[in-house]
Every structure is written in C-alpha cells, then in structure tokens.
Amino acid sequence: MSGAESFVPTPLLLSDNAQRRLRTLKAEEHAERIALRVYVTGGGCSGFQYGFDVADGINEDDTEIPFGDVSLIVDPLSWQYLVGSTIDYEEGLAGARFLVQNPNATTTCGCGASFMV
C-alpha cells in the first residue's frame, strides 16, 4: 500500500457469527438473498433500544451494506446511533439473539438491548 492510499472503515460491520446465522436463515427460507434490518427506537431502560427484523424490502432512504449474499439495512434515523457498530449473533443460556456492539453508547442496560448516547 502506498502512502497515497487510505483505509476507510465500513460504517457498520456484520460479525462472522451474524453472517453465518443469516445464511442459515437464508437456506431455511430458500431465499436468494437475505437482509437484516437493524434499527433504534426510543424506550428501553437506558433511553434507546435496538430492534432487528429480517427485511422484506428496502425503502428509498435506507442504507444497505452488503456482505456477500447477506446484508444489513439501516434507516436514516437509526444510522446516526449505529455508525461504527458491529452487529453480532450469540447463542447461550439466555437464548439466541442478534446484538449490537456500539462504541457510541455511553450506558447500556444489563441485557444489552437498550443504550444511551
């Protein structure tokens, strides 16, 4: 890499675990492509809360970030709270879930589903 080239990080990342889970869902649904919509709403014990949904479409003002045959979709209001985050997937004693590792959050609740900036 020459000194003139620069690296621009992806504004949102989808972990390998999350990509694997989406590919499993894709296979189960016999879908050609699959996308995970991640969004932020008001509420939760820390002020804002994360939401996830398998996207059945994309709105004109949404941002889609592809990761091969799977992708993330984020609406413009949620984007500002999620920039720099990694979307992950975990399975454990508390169940299986998508979660957000958000460097912008100043406070998160114990379950990780809500946050404050």
Side-chain angles (χ1 to χ4, degrees):
M1 180 185 281
S2 71
E5 295 177 28
S6 63
F7 175 74
V8 178
T10 303
L12 271 164
L13 297 175
L14 188 62
S15 74
D16 291 342
N17 283 343
Q19 289 183 44
R20 272 192 292 279
R21 179 60 184 147
L22 284 175
R23 288 188 178 100
T24 299
L25 290 172
K26 179 180 160 236
E28 290 172 356
E29 297 294 322
H30 306 291
E32 190 172 309
R33 289 186 49 104
I34 196 165
L36 178 68
R37 179 176 294 281
V38 58
Y39 56 92
V40 173
T41 60
C45 44
S46 293
F48 295 103
Q49 60 187 1
Y50 302 113
F52 302 95
D53 195 10
V54 175
D56 56 4
I58 185 167
N59 299 323
E60 184 177 307
D61 57 351
D62 286 341
T63 298
E64 182 175 16
I65 304 169
F67 295 89
D69 60 342
V70 298
S71 59
L72 283 174
I73 296 176
V74 182
D75 66 84
L77 289 173
S78 299
W79 180 262
Q80 63 188 323
Y81 299 109
L82 295 169
V83 169
S85 296
T86 298
I87 310 306
D88 198 4
Y89 179 79
E90 70 176 13
E91 294 179 9
L93 295 175
R97 65 184 180 145
F98 286 100
L99 61 117
V100 178
Q101 297 166 352
N102 189 341
N104 305 309
T106 58
T107 304
T108 58
C109 69
C111 67
S114 68
F115 69 102
M116 184 181 302
V117 289

